[in-house]
Amino acid sequence: KGQPVAFVVVESDLTAAANASVPSALQTTLTDPRAAIDYAGVHLSAQLSAAVFTLSAASDISVGSSDGTLAIRVRSLSASPLPAGVLDVFRAPLETSLNEFSSGFPFTVRRVMLREGCLSIMGTTPP
């Protein structure tokens, strides 16, 4: 109880998670998923194909700590050729999914560090 703990994620971990995250019920194909981590945050991109169209989707995500919890926020979302206003429909479910993940994070988050290619979440186990 209350022991120091760290969780480290590298870009290849995020890319693998993106490959596994598309529900088969959507009848879409996710190709060329890419994740980049730098001091500004996490940057995700991929090609999303469904029936007669293909979208180039990208998102910038901020990761930090807030009152001992993991805070993950969508800073930007784009999907060319769709206009920005249409993407609000997709932003809400994405933020909900990120909030569900962060609320279930198994330890008290004290600090989040972003470096080129690496994200570290440090904290303590529950008291």
Side-chain angles (χ1 to χ4, degrees), residues 89-103:
V89 173
F90 300 103
R91 181 183 292 269
L94 177 58
E95 287 182 341
T96 299
S97 175
L98 293 173
N99 287 336
E100 287 173 0
F101 173 79
S102 63
S103 67

Side-chain angles (χ1 to χ4, degrees), residues 8-12 35-39 114-119:
V8 179
V9 178
V10 295
E11 293 171 345
S12 60
I37 302 170
D38 61 23
Y39 296 101
L114 296 155
R115 298 185 188 263
E116 292 293 325
C118 180
L119 163 69

Side-chain angles (χ1 to χ4, degrees), residues 26-69:
L26 289 181
Q27 297 179 352
T28 59
T29 304
L30 184 71
T31 56
D32 197 25
R34 296 175 189 244
I37 302 170
D38 61 23
Y39 296 101
V42 178
H43 315 283
L44 306 172
S45 65
Q47 297 290 319
L48 186 63
S49 302
V52 295
F53 66 91
T54 299
L55 300 174
S56 295
S59 181
D60 292 324
I61 298 173
S62 297
V63 183
S65 64
S66 176
D67 295 326
T69 62

